[in-house]
Amino acid sequence: MPSLLKWSSLPVAGMVSELKFPVPWGHIAAKAWGSSQGRPVLCLHGWLDNANTFNRLIPLLPKDYYYMAMDFGGHGLSSHRPAGFPYHFLDYVSEIRRVTAALKWSRFTLMGHSLGGSVAGMFSCIFPEMVDKLILVESYGFFPAPQGQDKGPGLGRQRKLNSPLPPKDGPSKSEESDAWLNSKRKVIESLLSLEENKHQPPKVRSHQEALQRLLQANSHLTEESGRILLQRGATEVPGGLVYNRDMRALTHNQDPLTLEQCVSFLNKIQASVLMIIAQDGIFNPEAENMSRYFVKPLREAFQSNLEHFQLAEVMGNHFVHLNEPEVVAGLINIFLTRDQSSKARL
């Protein structure tokens, strides 16, 4: 199993440390709050974000926990995947197992925002015995995308709300087949196009330009939140900043699950689940097609099939945990400290 390499320790907000976990293609970067002897909580960020998305929330949570926020491969300070390979959704799931193996965690809590919630949900189905509590922020634990959708499943960008969704009865089998084939074609062509341009130097932007570009792509971010993500999402170079993210992460090679598969899989979850949905987030009532397609069925499946499930709707938008962490901190505090007798095993 990979070993843990701690490479710096920063005295911020009470014992914040930076870590690297060696993997065959480089390393997975992470940052941790608190004592490693505390109850373990692994935190997962959204699509094209990074571990700093939890910077303002975690200091408001119980102090006797050990919170670790990792950067998915190709995000934040983590290594990019080897040349020639696209990013798969399951790669992110496997990175959880790599990190927890290095930490020798056998049972822990998962907290995921957006794409991180989908990754956490899938991990909780594949390794149900390892997850005692599951916290989903602006996520339903799965995203049964319309067949053929090739963009990232995180839905961290507001423009996703306008993406076409299938009619009530769903696409025909022929339409599904064509869409699936077209999505795979786009993944391959996108990968080859990026490789053709790999010798071009990355674009250098001024600090303000880099921030504005980030805010334009994330209409739910405040300027302060954007700066927090940019601290870990860009590197200082002569003349300005260069984004850290791997451009290949923009297009995911994912085989979307059917709604029926998602409902079947969630029955495997053994964890207690807290789901936090923002009123002005990506699942807001205005997205009627989305609600009809999977939000309502998934919500009903969680409520009817899981013994310990709590749904909380809060004021705020998709980045409520970063923009206004106090809105969700109380809910998470109560959820974490409930039934502490079932302490996570290290």
Side-chain angles (χ1 to χ4, degrees):
M1 291 294 183
S3 61
L4 166 63
L5 174 63
K6 182 179 292 187
W7 53 286
S8 68
S9 182
L10 306 176
V12 181
M15 287 186 67
V16 178
S17 56
E18 291 282 350
L19 306 104
K20 285 185 177 180
F21 298 90
V23 292
W25 62 92
H27 68 268
I28 295 296
K31 62 188 303 182
W33 290 257
S35 168
S36 60
Q37 300 306 308
R39 299 178 177 89
V41 181
L42 187 63
C43 308
L44 310 175
H45 63 77
W47 182 47
L48 302 184
D49 299 330
N50 56 66
N52 275 12
T53 195
F54 298 103
N55 271 20
R56 300 186 66 211
L57 172 62
I58 289 176
L60 303 181
L61 301 183
K63 307 305 181 186
D64 55 339
Y65 285 75
Y66 184 46
Y67 303 93
M68 181 170 295
M70 56 184 277
D71 293 324
F72 288 131
H75 295 71
L77 302 180
S78 287
S79 298
H80 293 187
R81 289 274 168 172
F85 293 91
Y87 282 77
H88 296 259
F89 175 77
L90 200 61
D91 291 338
Y92 302 136
V93 179
S94 68
E95 288 169 7
I96 299 176
R97 190 66 188 93
R98 290 180 182 275
V99 168
T100 55
L103 291 165
K104 296 182 170 57
W105 289 359
S106 63
R107 193 163 170 82
F108 51 91
T109 293
L110 275 176
M111 176 164 60
H113 169 247
S114 197
L115 165 65
S118 297
V119 176
M122 183 57 69
F123 184 91
S124 299
C125 296
I126 297 174
F127 300 98
E129 76 285 356
M130 297 188 70
V131 184
D132 64 344
K133 293 186 178 182
L134 175 62
I135 302 169
L136 304 173
V137 181
E138 272 287 279
S139 170
Y140 277 84
F142 305 90
F143 185 69
Q147 292 293 321
Q149 177 171 318
D150 61 301
K151 287 295 184 181
L155 293 180
R157 310 301 180 255
Q158 175 70 9
R159 61 177 177 267
K160 297 290 182 197
L161 288 177
N162 298 321
S163 298
L165 287 165
K168 185 172 183 179
D169 295 328
S172 68
K173 293 296 182 182
S174 176
E175 290 171 333
E176 287 183 354
S177 297
D178 288 345
W180 189 92
L181 292 171
N182 286 334
S183 75
K184 299 311 172 189
R185 175 172 179 154
K186 289 178 181 178
V187 168
I188 294 170
E189 290 181 339
S190 175
L191 180 63
L192 294 178
S193 176
L194 287 172
E195 290 175 352
E196 287 179 0
N197 297 321
K198 68 179 180 180
H199 299 298
Q200 295 182 3
K203 183 174 178 57
V204 179
R205 296 178 170 87
S206 69
H207 287 69
Q208 190 61 29
E209 183 185 1
L211 175 61
Q212 289 306 312
R213 185 176 178 84
L214 177 64
L215 296 178
Q216 289 169 7
N218 297 267
S219 63
H220 288 192
L221 282 175
T222 64
E223 184 168 326
E224 180 185 2
S225 295
R227 292 185 188 279
I228 290 172
L229 290 179
L230 204 58
Q231 289 170 3
R232 197 176 183 91
T235 297
E236 187 95 33
V237 298
L241 296 175
V242 171
Y243 291 133
N244 293 339
R245 66 188 180 218
D246 190 337
M247 292 298 292
R248 290 172 295 171
L250 290 167
T251 301
H252 289 249
N253 186 11
Q254 182 192 18
D255 294 323
L257 299 171
T258 66
L259 178 61
E260 291 73 20
Q261 286 175 315
C262 294
V263 171
S264 177
F265 287 171
L266 71 82
N267 283 294
K268 300 295 183 182
I269 296 175
Q270 297 177 11
S272 300
V273 178
L274 170 63
M275 181 182 292
I276 300 175
I277 302 297
Q279 291 185 7
D280 296 318
I282 60 172
F283 304 109
N284 68 57
E286 293 180 8
E288 294 181 2
N289 287 335
M290 182 183 291
S291 178
R292 183 182 65 222
Y293 177 69
F294 78 90
V295 168
K296 187 172 184 290
L298 273 184
R299 181 181 296 195
E300 292 175 348
F302 270 105
Q303 291 172 330
S304 61
N305 295 328
L306 297 188
E307 184 177 355
H308 301 289
F309 172 73
Q310 177 186 352
L311 172 66
E313 295 184 345
V314 300
M315 297 293 292
N317 64 24
H318 188 55
F319 282 90
V320 62
H321 69 294
L322 179 57
N323 296 335
E324 303 168 285
E326 64 280 355
V327 172
V328 300
L331 292 165
I332 296 174
N333 285 340
I334 294 172
F335 180 74
L336 285 176
T337 56
R338 183 185 301 147
D339 300 325
Q340 281 193 349
S341 58
S342 57
K343 182 177 179 180
R345 294 195 300 271
L346 291 172

